[in-house]
């Protein structure tokens, strides 16, 4: 009976103790969060409950599993101890990552609520995202190295990953690859403030919003909900448009190709009326002018402003739609048209016909000598 109760007591006691300590810490964090609602750290630390309980359980079992005096445990004592060590290392890495994530996210949340500049908030958000990825990668490398140290024969390899010379060797080995170029480009984007999460950009003729920035790639969400994934090295080696740089306010233009008789003065009044009824217009500026002319049409440019890229698109579409509808209804003569005229007739009312064959010098061709009149006096073209 003791052979059954002892293992149950050891394992069950470890599980109950881990659950109880995890519950107690969670209750403590909840009370602290209720007393300090202005700090989101305590509520975010509650997400560490599961890895914390797993670390406690792994540590308790690792230290007490021999006390079970179970024949199965005694036969595989080394293997069970090794597995518990691996679980403890993995759970510890998970717990450290969760704690760092909670601290970083709480700091960002407090900064976002106290800063009114959205550009600075997006910049800090981009930097924090990349910092968390770097911390996660470092913790993962350290955890894997520690796990390798527990295997016989792998001590040297695991120690080399932790040693500075080993890390420098790994970096030097990867430096020849394009992956490291993207990695360094990611650092440059994060701390060089070139592009941030939430910025409106134009890359390869596609307009979109930066949705995600990692150490190796950058995702842009286009206006039609497509995702363009590009290596971060693209943004450090090629020019691109960042409409959010230096402020999100924008100026848009709409071009009209019209007849020379278009009422430009009335169009200015109509443009002002359209913009005053458009919610997307921010009221900063507007204008309308004739910017070009051709023998058949004139080019009229309407300019308006808006607070961001989405509103400038709405304002341009509204002006284009309502202005064309107004011209069609009130001034249809202003729309472009193709002017045609009938060819003049001879006094006798007949179409002019040439009765004499053209001279060779009148025909600018290499085979001018082949243009000979036929039996009726009309010129023959070619040899047929």
């Amino acid at each position: 009976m003791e052979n059954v109760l002892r293992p149950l007591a050891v394992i069950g006691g470890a599980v109950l103790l881990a659950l109880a300590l995890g519950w107690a810490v969670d209750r403590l964090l909840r009370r602290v969060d209720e007393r300090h609602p202005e700090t989101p750290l305590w509520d975010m630390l509650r997400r560490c409950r599961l890895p914390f309980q797993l670390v406690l359980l792994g540590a308790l079992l690792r230290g007490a599993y021999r006390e079970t005096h179970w024949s199965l445990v005694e036969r595989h004592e080394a293997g069970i101890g090794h597995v518990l060590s691996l679980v403890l290392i993995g759970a510890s890495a998970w717990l450290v990552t969760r704690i760092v994530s909670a601290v970083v996210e709480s700091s960002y949340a407090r900064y976002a609520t106290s800063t009114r500049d959205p550009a600075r908030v997006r910049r800090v958000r981009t930097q924090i995202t990349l910092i968390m990825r770097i911390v996660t990668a470092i913790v993962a490398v350290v955890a894997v190295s520690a796990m390798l140290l527990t295997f016989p024969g792998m001590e040297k390899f695991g120690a080399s990953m932790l040693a500075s010379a080993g890390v420098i060797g790994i970096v030097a080995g990867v430096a020849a690859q394009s992956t490291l170029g993207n990695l360094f480009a990611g650092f440059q984007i994060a701390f060089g403030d070139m592009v941030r999460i939430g910025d409106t950009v134009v890359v390869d003729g596609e307009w979109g919003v930066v949705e995600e920035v990692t150490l190796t790639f950058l995702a842009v969400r286009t206006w039609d909900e497509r995702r363009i994934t590009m290596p971060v090295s693209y943004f450090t080696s090629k020019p691109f448009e960042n409409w959010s740089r230096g402020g999100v306010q924008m100026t848009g233009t709409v071009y009209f190709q019209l007849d020379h008789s278009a009422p430009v003065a009335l169009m200015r009044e109509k443009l002002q009326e359209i913009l005053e009824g458009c919610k997307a217009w921010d009221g900063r500026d507007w204008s309308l002018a004739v910017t070009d002319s051709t023998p058949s049409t004139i080019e009229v440019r309407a300019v308006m402003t808006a607070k961001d890229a989405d509103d400038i698109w709405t304002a341009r579409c509204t002006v284009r739609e309502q202005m064309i509808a107004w011209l069609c209804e009130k001034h249809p003569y202003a729309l472009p048209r193709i002017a045609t005229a009938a060819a003049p007739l001879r006094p006798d009312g007949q179409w002019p016909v040439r009765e004499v064959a053209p001279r060779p010098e009148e025909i600018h061709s290499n085979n001018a000598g082949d243009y000979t009149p036929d039996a009726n006096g009309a010129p023959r073209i070619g040899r047929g």
Side-chain angles (χ1 to χ4, degrees):
M1 190 68 177
E2 183 180 358
N3 294 333
V4 178
L5 294 178
R6 182 182 290 271
L8 291 178
V10 173
I11 299 175
V15 173
L16 292 177
L17 183 59
L19 293 176
L21 290 177
W23 177 82
V25 172
D26 182 72
R27 292 289 299 178
L28 178 62
L29 292 175
R30 180 180 298 180
R31 290 187 177 183
V32 175
D33 181 59
E34 292 175 353
R35 294 181 180 180
H36 302 280
E38 73 281 357
T39 304
L41 174 62
W42 310 112
D43 183 63
M44 292 181 178
L45 285 176
R46 294 180 60 194
R47 295 182 297 180
C48 304
R49 178 177 178 177
L50 181 59
F52 176 68
Q53 290 176 333
L54 190 58
V55 169
L56 287 178
L57 181 60
L60 292 173
L61 292 178
R62 182 66 181 83
Y65 77 99
R66 294 187 180 90
E67 300 300 327
T68 59
H69 297 298
W70 206 357
S71 59
L72 179 63
V73 174
E74 292 177 352
R75 289 196 304 267
H76 304 281
E77 180 179 343
I80 294 175
H82 191 193
V83 171
L84 292 176
S85 299
L86 296 178
V87 171
L88 183 59
I89 294 172
S92 301
W94 187 14
L95 179 61
V96 170
T97 304
R98 282 289 182 89
I99 293 175
V100 174
S101 176
V103 173
V104 171
E105 289 184 12
S106 64
S107 302
Y108 167 73
R110 296 187 64 180
Y111 180 83
T113 55
S114 61
T115 305
R116 296 183 178 181
D117 188 359
R120 296 182 63 183
V121 173
R122 292 199 303 270
R123 180 182 63 186
V124 173
R125 179 185 175 188
T126 303
Q127 295 174 352
I128 285 177
T129 301
L130 293 177
I131 289 174
M132 275 306 307
R133 294 181 185 275
I134 295 172
V135 171
T136 303
I138 293 175
V139 172
V141 170
V142 173
V144 171
S145 303
M147 290 180 179
L148 291 176
L149 290 174
T150 63
F151 289 91
M154 298 293 290
E155 295 86 351
K156 294 183 179 180
F157 183 74
S160 64
M161 292 184 64
L162 293 174
S164 58
V167 174
I168 294 175
I170 294 174
V171 173
V174 181
Q177 307 297 325
S178 60
T179 304
L180 191 61
N182 283 329
L183 184 65
F184 290 154
F187 281 107
Q188 188 175 354
I189 286 177
F191 299 98
D193 199 23
M194 298 176 58
V195 62
R196 298 155 296 201
I197 296 175
D199 282 1
T200 301
V201 297
V202 179
V203 290
D204 283 345
E206 294 283 354
W207 175 89
V209 178
V210 178
E211 188 176 50
E212 183 180 6
V213 179
T214 68
L215 291 177
T216 55
F217 71 90
L218 187 146
V220 178
R221 185 184 74 253
T222 61
W223 65 272
D224 54 355
E225 301 299 330
R226 291 181 292 116
R227 266 66 175 180
I228 301 177
T229 302
M230 310 185 71
V232 292
S233 59
Y234 175 91
F235 294 87
T236 58
S237 60
K238 296 182 180 180
F240 65 95
E241 297 182 30
N242 189 343
W243 292 2
S244 302
R245 186 77 175 181
V248 295
Q249 295 178 340
M250 297 195 65
T251 299
T253 58
V254 177
Y255 291 93
F256 300 96
Q257 302 295 330
L258 303 175
D259 188 77
H260 291 83
S261 60
V264 179
L266 295 178
M267 290 181 64
R268 288 193 182 96
E269 297 177 2
K270 184 61 179 178
L271 176 61
Q272 184 178 9
E273 178 185 343
I274 294 173
L275 291 176
E276 288 177 351
C278 180
K279 296 181 179 179
W281 182 53
D282 61 359
R284 287 189 296 120
D285 191 19
W286 68 273
S287 65
L288 188 141
V290 178
T291 56
D292 197 5
S293 64
T294 66
S296 58
T297 61
I298 60 173
E299 182 183 75
V300 179
R301 185 189 68 179
V303 178
M304 71 290 302
T305 58
K307 64 181 180 64
D308 54 29
D310 292 334
D311 283 354
I312 198 64
W313 173 262
T314 303
R316 291 174 60 195
C317 293
T318 301
V319 169
R320 187 182 296 109
E321 178 182 346
Q322 296 188 20
M323 184 68 74
I324 292 177
W326 175 76
L327 289 173
C328 291
E329 180 183 358
K330 301 296 185 180
H331 305 279
Y333 60 89
L335 299 177
R337 58 184 182 272
I338 300 175
T340 59
L345 299 177
R346 294 192 310 181
D348 56 2
Q350 301 295 326
W351 292 104
V353 178
R354 185 166 185 169
E355 298 179 352
V356 181
R359 296 187 303 273
E361 58 270 18
E362 293 179 337
I363 304 174
H364 302 282
S365 176
N366 292 332
N367 59 345
D370 296 332
Y371 288 76
T372 57
D374 56 10
N376 297 326
R380 293 178 59 191
I381 300 177
R383 299 180 183 274

